[in-house]
């Protein structure tokens, strides 16, 4: 989700995958795939930058998750060193 601002200052979140287009008339109009039109304070270039940053963050997060999964799989396949048995001596109680 990305956060945008209505002209009255109210913040709201929208799924950037649902944005069909953004237009710069005197005000910026974001049109969703279902035809809903959102009038926002952010300029056209700022909306584009917000969507680009969001998508870049999603790609970066996907890479992090894939790398973590690969590292976990490597660790699972690596033979474990044998653990030494732990012995302890308890004093006899009379």
């Amino acid at each position: 989700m990305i956060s945008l601002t209505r002209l009255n200052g109210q913040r709201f979140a929208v799924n950037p995958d649902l944005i069909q287009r953004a237009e710069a008339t005197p005000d910026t109009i974001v049109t969703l795939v279902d035809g809903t039109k959102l009038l926002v304070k952010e300029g056209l270039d700022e909306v584009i930058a917000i969507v680009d940053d969001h998508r870049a963050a999603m790609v970066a997060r996907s890479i992090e998750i894939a790398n973590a999964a690969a590292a976990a799989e490597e660790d699972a396949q690596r033979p474990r060193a044998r653990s030494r048995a732990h012995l302890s001596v308890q004093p006899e109680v009379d």
Side-chain angles (χ1 to χ4, degrees):
M1 301 290 276
I2 60 170
S3 181
L4 296 173
T5 312
R6 296 185 193 279
L7 293 181
N8 66 5
Q10 181 184 8
R11 305 277 296 159
F12 68 99
V14 65
N15 181 342
D17 296 329
L18 298 179
I19 295 175
Q20 181 183 43
R21 70 178 174 269
E23 304 171 61
T25 58
D27 295 314
T28 305
I29 301 171
V30 175
T31 305
L32 304 182
V33 294
D34 68 355
T36 302
K37 294 187 182 292
L38 307 168
L39 203 56
V40 298
K41 267 189 181 178
E42 291 81 2
L44 179 61
D45 291 337
E46 190 176 355
V47 171
I48 292 168
I50 291 168
V51 171
D52 283 349
D53 288 348
H54 173 75
R55 293 210 169 121
M58 293 301 101
V59 170
R61 183 68 181 126
S62 297
I63 291 169
E64 287 175 10
I65 291 169
N67 288 341
E73 187 174 323
E74 274 183 24
D75 285 347
Q77 292 176 356
R78 187 174 300 137
R80 300 275 182 220
R82 285 190 171 181
S83 61
R84 295 183 181 165
H86 296 286
L87 301 175
S88 61
V89 177
Q90 297 291 328
E92 283 187 29
V93 178
D94 291 325

